[in-house]
Amino acid sequence: MRDLDRSRRFDAAVMPHLERGYALARWLVRDPSEAEDVVQDACIRALKYIDGWTGDTNRSWFLAIVRNAAYDTLAKRGVRAEVPLDDTDLGCVEGTPETSLLAASDRTLLNRLVEELPPLFREVIVLREVEELSYRDIATVLDVPVGTVMSRLARARGRLLVAWQAATKTERA
Amino acid sequence: MRCEDALIQISAAVDRELDPARAVKLHDHLETCPTCRAADEQMRVLSSTLRTSLTQYELPAGMAARMRATALATPTLVTSTTPRWVPRASKFAALAASWLLAAYVGMWVALPHMSSDDQLVAAHSRSLQANHLIDVASSDRHTVKPWFADKLSFSPPVVEVDGYQLIGGRLDVLDGKPAAAIVYKRRLHTINLFAAAATPGTTKLSTSVRNGLSLVHWRADGMQMTLVSDINQNELVDLAHALGAR
């Protein structure tokens, strides 16, 4: 009985969000088989927490678990989840938009630039632009206030813009 | 409006997440600041380009079934003292009987905790309200642990854990008996670790929720341990593991 109940709850709470969890894990650990391990770990954790959880077992709930599992994997690699302290990237992006920059919407380049962001910046970009979550839902996943989501996303975008500009300039040179 | 503040709001406006009052102010600023107007344009282009460019990873074939099978085959750590004969008995019991049994076992599992969840939650809430969170304030376990030594007949664990800031300890009372409360902070959340003398033996950790607070219980080294906090249960379980719970 108990097992049947467990599998039913798992199917309802976890299975619908498995693919989104995998995508987030892929973006965070950047390795297909490690991402699979992260999701497996998250599934086991989710099953463990399901009984004691009083809130909604929605997508943000599962993504938060995946995220924690992913950071455990990153920690083993020695990657620390820290917001970079330098604020230089937050200054106004210089100059007017150049048409050449805007036209150079190079998929590969942008994917690489996002992958090169520190994890805490990378994840807000992914949660917003890939998962299309609201700020409130991102705040739930990251367990931070909405204001933090707002500023982190702006800083991540500022960095991306600067890097994008730099990469496009090098390409043209 | 400073350009630096504007950038955060430009970014939020791209996502339609800026409240109307600030949106109006931002609009006024963009009218007068060509640099920020350019930034606004670039943010929009960046966001829409990312949406069409970033890889949408799909689940590899067969992965969902693998994940499900492995997760369901992994035992959870929920019950602490479920007797060994229960699974076998319920196999043979009729459907109705097994439901009754499950309810009975559920009650039974809840009983052996030294203090009821309500008491623990009350003690946790008291510690937050009465300006009496800590008797000895220290992030150094070598200060907190000896402080307890004079006051209790047992020796509560005082451990520094990465990601959880030890802020001190205090004496509390549970079930009319003295208990140690060791206090951690995680972000803005307060975590109380209650330790009270118990019969010898070890139990695996179990979790419960009361009044929106998470509780994690286990018994080790002759002490009944309980963590109480409003942080996510998973973080509390992580802390319990770091404190030696199995």
Side-chain angles (χ1 to χ4, degrees):
Chain A
M1 257 337 275
R2 202 188 171 90
D3 284 352
L4 194 66
D5 192 43
R6 273 179 86 212
S7 61
R8 200 177 292 143
R9 297 187 69 171
F10 185 79
D11 288 346
V14 176
M15 293 307 277
H17 315 301
L18 208 59
E19 185 158 71
R20 305 327 311 152
Y22 175 72
L24 178 63
R26 269 300 292 267
W27 274 107
L28 279 174
V29 301
R30 295 190 289 168
D31 177 272
S33 64
E34 275 196 294
E36 207 171 313
D37 289 347
V38 164
V39 175
Q40 183 71 79
D41 186 15
C43 286
I44 292 167
R45 292 188 198 191
L47 204 50
K48 201 161 68 185
Y49 309 145
I50 257 174
D51 290 322
W53 184 253
T54 46
D56 290 343
T57 53
N58 51 21
R59 176 148 64 124
S60 312
W61 172 79
F62 184 61
L63 289 181
I65 297 173
V66 169
R67 176 180 183 265
N68 285 339
Y71 275 104
D72 286 352
T73 298
L74 290 177
K76 278 181 208 144
R77 281 194 219 154
V79 178
R80 298 179 59 180
E82 287 173 340
V83 176
L85 287 175
D86 64 307
D87 261 8
T88 47
D89 49 282
L90 197 54
C92 274
V93 179
E94 296 283 316
T96 49
E98 296 175 33
T99 41
S100 59
L101 175 136
L102 305 182
S105 53
D106 181 357
R107 277 180 74 100
T108 322
L109 172 65
L110 271 176
N111 274 285
R112 181 170 62 77
L113 293 179
V114 172
E115 281 182 356
E116 282 169 0
L117 286 175
L120 290 179
F121 282 170
R122 200 188 315 144
E123 67 187 359
V124 281
I125 293 287
V126 169
L127 291 172
R128 179 64 210 165
E129 309 291 22
V130 181
E131 301 302 325
E132 298 184 21
L133 295 188
S134 68
Y135 282 16
R136 186 193 289 260
D137 284 345
I138 297 175
T140 305
V141 176
L142 307 190
D143 198 13
V144 295
V146 170
T148 306
V149 172
M150 196 182 281
S151 61
R152 221 178 260 179
L153 194 50
R155 291 187 57 193
R157 283 173 167 158
R159 281 199 161 213
L160 272 180
L161 277 177
V162 170
W164 193 13
Q165 238 158 2
T168 320
K169 252 179 215 154
T170 326
E171 250 170 39
R172 274 189 298 156
Chain B
M1 182 183 283
R2 293 189 310 150
C3 290
E4 196 175 298
D5 299 331
L7 204 63
I8 294 179
Q9 302 194 4
I10 287 167
S11 166
V14 168
D15 297 320
R16 298 176 187 279
E17 293 264 5
L18 198 60
D19 61 77
R22 285 198 287 177
V24 169
K25 276 189 193 157
L26 176 65
H27 183 262
D28 292 347
H29 177 72
L30 292 183
E31 293 276 283
T32 60
C33 177
T35 320
C36 283
R37 216 157 44 229
D40 178 64
E41 175 64 23
Q42 292 187 344
M43 282 273 187
R44 282 173 202 284
V45 171
L46 176 72
S47 175
S48 62
T49 315
L50 285 172
R51 282 185 180 223
T52 53
S53 300
L54 292 185
T55 310
Q56 302 271 352
Y57 291 107
E58 287 171 10
L59 220 49
M63 181 176 151
R66 272 200 308 283
M67 299 288 112
R68 185 178 185 278
T70 310
L72 290 173
T74 307
T76 50
L77 307 166
V78 174
T79 55
S80 48
T81 52
T82 313
R84 206 167 285 163
W85 50 267
V86 167
R88 196 184 304 165
S90 57
K91 247 183 229 166
F92 295 105
L95 194 68
S98 75
W99 272 114
L100 280 173
L101 190 63
Y104 169 69
V105 169
M107 279 168 51
W108 197 25
V109 167
L111 282 176
H113 301 312
M114 288 302 294
S115 311
S116 73
D117 283 4
D118 287 331
Q119 276 202 46
L120 290 154
V121 163
H124 174 79
S125 307
R126 220 168 35 233
S127 77
L128 300 181
Q129 285 162 10
N131 210 9
H132 182 223
L133 184 58
I134 40 181
D135 293 326
V136 52
S138 174
S139 59
D140 181 359
R141 66 194 175 89
H142 299 296
T143 307
V144 180
K145 197 169 171 73
W147 184 84
F148 280 122
D150 310 338
K151 298 166 184 72
L152 295 168
S153 57
F154 56 97
S155 178
V158 183
V159 184
E160 289 160 39
V161 181
D162 268 357
Y164 299 81
Q165 189 196 350
L166 175 65
I167 65 163
R170 75 172 185 283
L171 279 184
D172 215 308
V173 178
L174 293 169
D175 269 348
K177 292 184 199 125
I182 296 129
V183 184
Y184 292 90
K185 283 265 186 188
R186 182 158 168 90
R187 295 182 300 274
L188 299 175
H189 306 280
T190 301
I191 304 165
N192 268 295
L193 167 63
F194 294 102
T199 49
T202 301
T203 59
K204 284 186 172 176
L205 66 81
S206 62
T207 58
S208 55
V209 173
R210 189 62 57 102
N211 301 346
L213 295 169
S214 293
L215 295 89
V216 177
H217 317 265
W218 74 98
R219 190 188 301 167
D221 306 322
M223 283 172 282
Q224 178 62 42
M225 320 284 291
T226 306
L227 286 166
V228 186
S229 181
D230 59 346
I231 61 170
N232 285 343
Q233 188 135 50
N234 46 1
E235 290 179 286
L236 216 51
V237 168
D238 287 345
L239 177 58
H241 283 140
L243 294 168
R246 290 289 162 259

